[in-house]
Amino acid sequence: MSTLFANHAEKLQAAVNACKTRESYSGWPENPSSKLHGDELPAAGKARFDAQLGKPFELEQPAEIGRLGEERSPYTRELLGISYPKVDVPQLFQAIEQAKPAWASAEPETRLGICLEILERCGDQLFENAHATMHTSGQSYVMAFAGSGANALDRGLEALAYAHKAMEDVPASGRWQRQFGRDGVADLHKQYRIMPRGVGVVICCATFPLWNAYPALCASLATGNPVVLKPHPNAVLPVALVVRTAREVLAKAGFDPNLVCLVADERDAPATQALLDEDATSIVDFTGSPRFGGWLENNCPGKLVYTETAGCNSVVLESSNDLDATARAIAQSLCQASAQMCTSVQNVHIPADGVRVGDKRVSYQEVSQAICAAVDDWLTEERRAATLCGTLFDDAVQETVDRYRELAGDRILRDSAPFAIEGFPSARTATPLVIAATEADRDWYRQEVFGPVSFLIRNDDAQHCLADATGNARDCGAITSHVYSTDEAFLEKAVDAYHGAGASVACNLTGMPINFAAAYSDYHVTGLNPAGNACLTDLAFVANRFRIVQTKYMAP
Amino acid sequence: MSTLFANHAEKLQAAVNACKTRESYSGWPENPSSKLHGDELPAAGKARFDAQLGKPFELEQPAEIGRLGEERSPYTRELLGISYPKVDVPQLFQAIEQAKPAWASAEPETRLGICLEILERCGDQLFENAHATMHTSGQSYVMAFAGSGANALDRGLEALAYAHKAMEDVPASGRWQRQFGRDGVADLHKQYRIMPRGVGVVICCATFPLWNAYPALCASLATGNPVVLKPHPNAVLPVALVVRTAREVLAKAGFDPNLVCLVADERDAPATQALLDEDATSIVDFTGSPRFGGWLENNCPGKLVYTETAGCNSVVLESSNDLDATARAIAQSLCQASAQMCTSVQNVHIPADGVRVGDKRVSYQEVSQAICAAVDDWLTEERRAATLCGTLFDDAVQETVDRYRELAGDRILRDSAPFAIEGFPSARTATPLVIAATEADRDWYRQEVFGPVSFLIRNDDAQHCLADATGNARDCGAITSHVYSTDEAFLEKAVDAYHGAGASVACNLTGMPINFAAAYSDYHVTGLNPAGNACLTDLAFVANRFRIVQTKYMAP
């Protein structure tokens, strides 16, 4: 057994077990508190980030033909001033070609061991990564530490658990004996070998750069494929840190570091097409816009394409025993990470005749007010507001908010406004904009409106709420969907309707961040609606990333 | 547990075990001998086939808008005179739509039980199927009984074993508890549900109509997808028998029989495009020509496409301790089913300076003579020749033989000729045509030449043999590849070279039909070269045919 595999076998087994029981598990700490980590580690992480600002990012990769970089902090609005290699893609792929055979020949456990070690080493730089994520993706420190740290690493480990299961399903050898007619017994020794598909290209998004990067990297690399990571131009640093770590681990283990490479680019000179043009690119993992994701799904014949894009996540609010708790749960989703999460709620469907609460019926207006008040409540304390909302990663998000403010006019139920973040007077921030809508406004809400913009949609009745929400999930995609109802029959109908639309659904979630997607437990993205064509992670996410070749030997 | 599942659970478990150990297993009898079956069963099967001739095939399917059928027996050259429903495809798909929900909602074990029962009932009609296969695909009775009977059914069962494993990997439920900040413990009950992708269309080939039909049917149906089988116009009857049986089993189990439908067509009015045009068609399984297979791989965006096409299967003959046994093994492959099998050898690479046998070097000429003599030897007895070779399924195969006879001229090492089959004076038959070739003739042999045409290729030396053979596998595809060598170092190099070309390889097989592909043990088709994009069967063949949706409920 490879040493690295042995070192991490227990953690891998815990992940495999959690995938089976679907219970709560995490391999890394989610809380950045000094009470847990002491003062030194957090300070060292910040120092490393600070020291990187204004400097070239050290990454010795082949095919460097210059430097690039245009990251700007949503907190300071200043350029980070970090430069990354500008890469000649065909030349890089020649170098990757050299790295392939030894990696393909390595035992699955050797590759898994190295992937586990990469995750472990990335886990050592969670504080540095948190600052890197804050100042690129705009997340708050706490979110950047947990959501882009432990929660993302867990998803990488989850992918390794599935890769392990899928590869373990292929025995290394077998013996086959049978009689053919009068020719005696044919006695064959057979060997089975896992073969990679080619190069995996991982296209990362701006707001959660590592969320799908870890699972894609791990799924492709563990099954034998070199991986090229292509970060979003405004969120390179978190990805570059992972690439550098991966290269160090690979080299230390005696493999070619070019098995994991970074191809950064700038908005005006994107590198994606050059990566897709390479024949060796056999696998594409994409996180980003539905438009480009859809294009990839339809225009990469012969390549495996896995996408997570976006949809219009909904809440159907039929009835509740505790309207305050429900409003509070919904409001938290409208605030969290300024609704720049793939799991953020956007469309809240409320029956025109109101919501049954206990034995009363509460009007649409009162429910709207409760949700808006709950939003305000989350934002009362300045510090909590900053931690919950973070910043807007890009000017375009603020422009979206502004556009909808203008469109909505007197239909604004709760207006958006900047809020202060201590220590960052220039931070780009916006509290949730909440808009009253009806089905006549379908053009507004039947798409992902990226950022803190939500719609409280007054549908004719609960049936119409459900029909609207599930129709939108089917046609426009959904990653999370929520139903609040105390009526078992309605819940059952709602679950069936969402499932029929290819969407998963959560019922009556309160007292927790409803945006939370749990690795090992939640099958994230169904692949059955336009919000993505794959699940991250299930067996299908990994089983096709490798192939099997065999050898039969006749026993002499 | 569903009754049907319980009835067949032992057989399914045996298949799962065999997939793990890769040992020899078969769920059905391969030998049609009356010593095993008595006289009655074989006679009844033949009687049922005879009674079908000249009559409409009874199949009550919706959307029938007429009848069609143009099958002609390669044994009698007479039309079978059997008519099948001519189907209005959009109308049929409307009916299939109705059948979907109940099937999607059924427990995986219920679906597996029904699929197992379908295979079992198809196993009851192996004699009838053997005659149907003889008089459509042109196989010999023995081959039709085994290769299109037990061996094909086993592949269906193998697909069910993998479908079972993949679906079993998804737990039905889980409980997830964790603390978020000071909000107390969130306690979620989760349910996971397997969801089908859509309709699976299975496009069958002419010469082994059920070989890939069973695995595709089973893989899609067990995972919840309705299946439409589209047989080759000249090999409808074997497929129609399966469809009728499947529909009977489904109906008896209380499901809509339209979950399995037949769409037959004629050469002049193919139905495939209409099937692909249906949005509901989400999965396409194709067996047939590399040209159409390649087109499907590249032109069905958004649909899952699994192909097995063809390549130019090779032998590299470097050395042997028993040239007679080696020649006999190769010769059998050249004869078997008139080399109309996907595993038939076509290109035999022989070093120009001959083959080392023991401590002698045997010249190219002597080796060629040995192979041709071995072919003659297989054909000495009229009855054995008929059993081994069967007929040519189509005039086009005879035309191919004729064309190569003309092209080869004095390079013919062994000429092709018709041979007699007792009781069928009109049978379309041809013994193997063996042609001497060099690398100058690459245009001849760098493609599948379908039928009993083979090339004994004189390469400069063993290295060149290997380079030519593996280059062809990489560029033109290969389903089986053979190396004969007593030199361990050469074998190792050959194995690596074939694997590098994305091909599996068999070493020194003698004393058995080397065309034989063993369900549960051989991963048939690698998916890594142009002879197909999928393996039948591995986890990847099934894991993507379904998706997972989930429900989370917060414990009150």
Side-chain angles (χ1 to χ4, degrees):
Chain A
M1 197 190 288
S2 97
T3 315
L4 290 176
F5 185 82
N7 289 351
H8 303 297
E10 206 175 314
K11 201 171 214 174
L12 182 65
Q13 193 53 51
V16 169
N17 291 348
C19 288
K20 196 71 207 168
T21 62
R22 314 307 284 181
E23 69 199 348
S24 179
Y25 171 71
S26 180
W28 288 271
E30 278 183 295
N31 188 337
S33 166
S34 300
K35 286 179 199 147
L36 294 173
H37 302 277
D39 291 328
E40 208 174 305
L41 274 177
K46 175 149 196 327
R48 283 177 66 91
F49 170 72
D50 287 341
Q52 180 62 67
L53 294 172
K55 302 230 175 63
F57 186 88
E58 280 178 32
L59 190 70
E60 276 190 39
Q61 269 188 183
E64 179 171 331
I65 53 169
R67 283 267 156 174
L68 53 73
E70 57 180 9
E71 291 162 299
R72 189 180 285 276
S73 168
Y75 281 86
T76 65
R77 310 257 192 145
E78 306 282 336
L79 284 168
L80 301 191
I82 308 174
S83 72
Y84 304 92
K86 180 177 178 177
V87 170
D88 179 297
V89 170
Q91 207 181 317
L92 181 71
F93 270 66
Q94 281 173 29
I96 293 171
E97 203 59 38
Q98 306 305 311
K100 281 179 175 178
W103 191 242
S105 303
E107 292 295 317
E109 288 195 350
T110 302
R111 291 195 303 253
L112 283 163
I114 286 170
C115 291
L116 288 160
E117 177 73 7
I118 290 171
L119 294 182
E120 211 58 35
R121 298 285 73 81
C122 289
D124 292 344
Q125 60 194 16
L126 285 183
F127 288 101
E128 186 177 2
N129 173 65
H131 292 282
T133 306
M134 277 181 77
H135 292 283
T136 53
S137 299
Q139 294 174 20
S140 72
Y141 179 61
V142 168
M143 174 60 89
F145 188 86
S148 293
N151 301 160
L153 284 165
D154 275 325
R155 304 181 77 245
L157 179 56
E158 184 184 19
L160 291 182
Y162 278 98
H164 182 45
K165 286 201 273 188
M167 292 193 289
E168 228 185 1
D169 189 69
V170 183
S173 63
R175 187 161 179 190
W176 185 89
Q177 298 170 296
R178 64 157 280 184
Q179 182 99 24
F180 284 99
R182 284 153 299 184
D183 274 339
V185 172
D187 185 358
L188 300 183
H189 293 266
K190 302 189 180 187
Q191 290 176 354
Y192 309 97
R193 194 173 144 194
I194 283 167
M195 295 288 278
R197 302 287 297 242
V199 175
V201 167
V202 180
I203 304 169
C204 312
C205 73
T207 45
F208 274 81
L210 300 182
W211 175 251
N212 288 342
Y214 282 128
L217 166 67
C218 287
S220 279
L221 192 62
T223 52
N225 308 281
V227 175
V228 175
L229 289 111
K230 210 299 286 173
H232 187 278
N234 207 48
V236 182
L237 185 55
V239 179
L241 286 167
V242 171
V243 169
R244 186 162 67 191
T245 302
R247 294 173 64 85
E248 284 165 6
V249 171
L250 283 161
K252 200 173 160 194
F255 288 96
D256 190 327
N258 295 328
L259 290 164
V260 178
C261 293
L262 180 77
V263 173
D265 60 3
E266 296 182 346
R267 282 162 208 254
D268 291 343
T272 302
Q273 194 57 53
L275 294 169
L276 300 178
D277 287 346
E278 289 293 324
D279 284 342
T281 298
S282 302
I283 307 173
V284 180
D285 284 276
F286 172 80
T287 312
S289 74
R291 214 175 51 139
F292 191 50
W295 185 88
L296 285 169
E297 289 167 14
N298 291 315
N299 290 281
C300 299
K303 302 192 198 298
L304 299 177
V305 176
Y306 303 88
T307 63
E308 175 180 342
T309 61
C312 42
N313 298 330
S314 60
V315 170
V316 168
L317 184 40
E318 191 268 341
S319 54
S320 168
N321 281 332
D322 184 344
L323 184 61
D324 285 346
T326 300
R328 187 175 157 80
I330 295 167
Q332 187 180 21
S333 178
L334 304 185
C335 295
Q336 196 171 23
S338 295
Q340 296 165 110
M341 296 173 74
C342 61
T343 53
S344 299
V345 160
Q346 175 184 301
N347 298 340
V348 182
H349 298 267
I350 303 169
D353 58 349
V355 170
R356 196 169 39 74
V357 179
D359 50 8
K360 287 193 308 190
R361 194 155 280 279
V362 179
S363 72
Y364 168 87
Q365 204 173 350
E366 287 170 278
V367 172
S368 304
Q369 283 165 355
I371 291 170
C372 293
V375 169
D376 292 337
D377 191 52
W378 279 108
L379 305 179
T380 315
E381 284 177 52
E382 192 176 284
R383 202 174 173 141
R384 184 163 75 167
T387 294
L388 182 58
C389 298
T391 67
L392 307 182
F393 91 98
D394 191 88
D395 282 336
V397 184
Q398 183 63 59
E399 285 158 19
T400 299
V401 174
D402 294 343
R403 188 157 44 87
Y404 273 89
R405 286 184 76 206
E406 222 162 282
L407 276 173
D410 61 0
R411 310 264 290 285
I412 293 177
L413 295 168
R414 189 195 176 282
D415 204 357
S416 174
F419 61 90
I421 297 185
E422 197 190 330
F424 296 105
S426 303
R428 186 194 296 115
T429 60
T431 65
L433 174 70
V434 183
I435 297 170
T438 68
E439 288 188 30
D441 309 311
R442 286 160 66 90
D443 288 353
W444 289 355
Y445 63 77
R446 270 172 61 87
Q447 58 181 298
E448 184 200 36
V449 178
F450 194 73
V453 178
S454 58
F455 306 93
L456 305 191
I457 302 158
R458 182 203 299 254
N459 296 99
D460 285 355
D461 54 25
Q463 277 319 312
H464 281 81
C465 288
L466 194 54
D468 194 8
T470 57
N472 299 343
R474 179 184 288 108
D475 299 342
C476 319
I479 291 181
T480 47
S481 309
H482 296 271
V483 182
Y484 292 88
S485 174
T486 59
D487 177 349
E488 282 300 322
F490 185 81
L491 274 183
E492 203 174 307
K493 199 186 303 176
V495 166
D496 280 348
Y498 273 111
H499 287 185
S504 287
V505 60
C507 302
N508 295 325
L509 263 54
T510 58
M512 64 171 281
I514 65 172
N515 287 2
F516 192 81
Y520 320 107
S521 184
D522 289 327
Y523 289 100
H524 185 65
V525 187
T526 66
L528 282 173
N529 67 55
N533 75 353
C535 168
L536 302 90
T537 302
D538 62 3
L539 270 181
F541 185 66
V542 295
N544 217 5
R545 293 181 194 245
F546 65 87
R547 292 273 177 220
I548 305 154
V549 292
Q550 72 175 48
T551 316
K552 315 188 221 187
Y553 299 92
M554 183 152 268
Chain B
M1 198 189 288
S2 95
T3 315
L4 289 176
F5 185 83
N7 290 351
H8 302 297
E10 205 176 317
K11 200 172 215 174
L12 182 65
Q13 194 53 51
V16 169
N17 292 348
C19 289
K20 197 71 206 166
T21 62
R22 314 308 285 181
E23 70 201 349
S24 178
Y25 170 71
S26 180
W28 288 271
E30 279 183 294
N31 188 335
S33 164
S34 299
K35 286 178 199 148
L36 295 173
H37 302 278
D39 291 328
E40 208 172 305
L41 274 178
K46 173 144 196 331
R48 283 177 67 89
F49 170 73
D50 288 341
Q52 180 62 67
L53 294 172
K55 302 228 176 65
F57 186 88
E58 280 178 32
L59 188 71
E60 275 191 39
Q61 271 190 181
E64 178 171 333
I65 53 169
R67 284 265 156 175
L68 52 73
E70 55 180 11
E71 292 163 296
R72 188 180 286 276
S73 168
Y75 281 86
T76 64
R77 311 256 192 144
E78 306 282 337
L79 284 168
L80 301 191
I82 307 173
S83 73
Y84 304 92
K86 179 178 180 177
V87 170
D88 179 297
V89 170
Q91 208 181 317
L92 181 71
F93 270 65
Q94 281 174 29
I96 293 171
E97 205 59 37
Q98 306 305 311
K100 281 178 174 179
W103 191 242
S105 304
E107 292 295 317
E109 288 195 349
T110 302
R111 291 195 301 254
L112 283 163
I114 286 170
C115 290
L116 288 160
E117 177 73 6
I118 289 170
L119 293 182
E120 213 57 37
R121 296 285 75 77
C122 288
D124 292 344
Q125 61 195 14
L126 285 183
F127 288 102
E128 185 177 3
N129 173 64
H131 291 282
T133 305
M134 277 180 75
H135 291 283
T136 54
S137 299
Q139 293 173 21
S140 72
Y141 179 61
V142 168
M143 173 62 88
F145 188 86
S148 293
N151 301 160
L153 284 165
D154 275 325
R155 304 183 77 244
L157 179 55
E158 184 184 19
L160 291 182
Y162 277 98
H164 182 43
K165 287 202 273 187
M167 291 194 290
E168 229 186 2
D169 188 70
V170 182
S173 63
R175 187 162 179 191
W176 183 90
Q177 297 169 296
R178 65 158 278 185
Q179 182 99 24
F180 285 97
R182 285 154 298 185
D183 274 340
V185 171
D187 185 357
L188 299 183
H189 293 266
K190 302 189 179 186
Q191 289 175 355
Y192 310 97
R193 193 174 144 193
I194 283 167
M195 295 288 278
R197 302 286 297 243
V199 175
V201 167
V202 180
I203 304 169
C204 312
C205 73
T207 44
F208 273 81
L210 300 182
W211 174 251
N212 289 342
Y214 281 128
L217 167 66
C218 287
S220 279
L221 193 62
T223 53
N225 307 282
V227 175
V228 175
L229 289 110
K230 209 299 286 173
H232 187 280
N234 207 48
V236 183
L237 185 56
V239 178
L241 287 166
V242 171
V243 169
R244 185 162 66 192
T245 301
R247 293 173 65 86
E248 284 166 5
V249 171
L250 282 161
K252 199 172 162 196
F255 287 95
D256 189 327
N258 295 328
L259 290 163
V260 178
C261 293
L262 179 78
V263 172
D265 59 3
E266 296 182 348
R267 282 162 208 253
D268 291 342
T272 302
Q273 194 57 53
L275 295 168
L276 299 178
D277 287 346
E278 289 293 325
D279 284 341
T281 299
S282 302
I283 307 173
V284 180
D285 285 277
F286 172 79
T287 312
S289 74
R291 215 173 52 137
F292 192 50
W295 184 88
L296 286 169
E297 289 167 15
N298 291 315
N299 291 281
C300 298
K303 302 190 198 298
L304 299 178
V305 176
Y306 303 87
T307 63
E308 175 179 340
T309 60
C312 41
N313 298 329
S314 61
V315 170
V316 168
L317 185 40
E318 191 268 341
S319 55
S320 169
N321 281 331
D322 185 343
L323 185 62
D324 284 347
T326 299
R328 188 176 156 77
I330 296 168
Q332 188 180 22
S333 177
L334 304 185
C335 295
Q336 196 171 22
S338 297
Q340 296 166 112
M341 298 171 75
C342 60
T343 52
S344 298
V345 160
Q346 175 184 299
N347 298 340
V348 182
H349 297 269
I350 303 168
D353 59 348
V355 169
R356 194 168 42 72
V357 179
D359 48 10
K360 287 192 306 188
R361 195 156 279 278
V362 178
S363 73
Y364 167 87
Q365 204 174 350
E366 286 170 280
V367 171
S368 304
Q369 282 165 356
I371 293 171
C372 293
V375 169
D376 292 338
D377 191 54
W378 279 107
L379 306 179
T380 315
E381 283 178 50
E382 190 175 285
R383 203 174 173 139
R384 185 162 75 166
T387 295
L388 183 59
C389 299
T391 67
L392 306 183
F393 92 96
D394 191 88
D395 283 337
V397 183
Q398 184 62 59
E399 285 158 18
T400 298
V401 174
D402 294 342
R403 187 156 46 85
Y404 273 89
R405 286 186 73 208
E406 222 162 281
L407 276 172
D410 62 2
R411 312 264 291 285
I412 294 177
L413 294 169
R414 187 193 179 285
D415 203 359
S416 173
F419 61 90
I421 297 184
E422 196 190 331
F424 296 105
S426 304
R428 186 194 297 113
T429 61
T431 66
L433 174 70
V434 184
I435 296 170
T438 69
E439 288 189 28
D441 308 311
R442 285 160 67 91
D443 287 353
W444 290 357
Y445 63 79
R446 269 172 62 87
Q447 58 180 297
E448 184 199 38
V449 179
F450 194 73
V453 178
S454 58
F455 305 93
L456 305 192
I457 301 158
R458 182 202 299 252
N459 296 99
D460 284 354
D461 55 26
Q463 279 317 312
H464 280 82
C465 287
L466 194 54
D468 194 9
T470 57
N472 299 341
R474 180 184 288 108
D475 300 342
C476 318
I479 291 180
T480 47
S481 309
H482 296 271
V483 182
Y484 291 89
S485 174
T486 60
D487 176 349
E488 282 299 324
F490 184 81
L491 273 183
E492 204 174 304
K493 199 185 305 177
V495 166
D496 279 349
Y498 272 112
H499 287 183
S504 287
V505 58
C507 302
N508 295 325
L509 263 54
T510 58
M512 64 171 280
I514 66 173
N515 286 3
F516 191 80
Y520 320 107
S521 183
D522 290 327
Y523 288 100
H524 185 65
V525 189
T526 66
L528 282 173
N529 67 55
N533 75 352
C535 167
L536 303 88
T537 300
D538 62 3
L539 271 180
F541 186 67
V542 295
N544 217 4
R545 294 182 193 246
F546 65 87
R547 293 272 176 221
I548 305 155
V549 292
Q550 72 176 47
T551 316
K552 315 189 222 189
Y553 300 91
M554 183 151 266

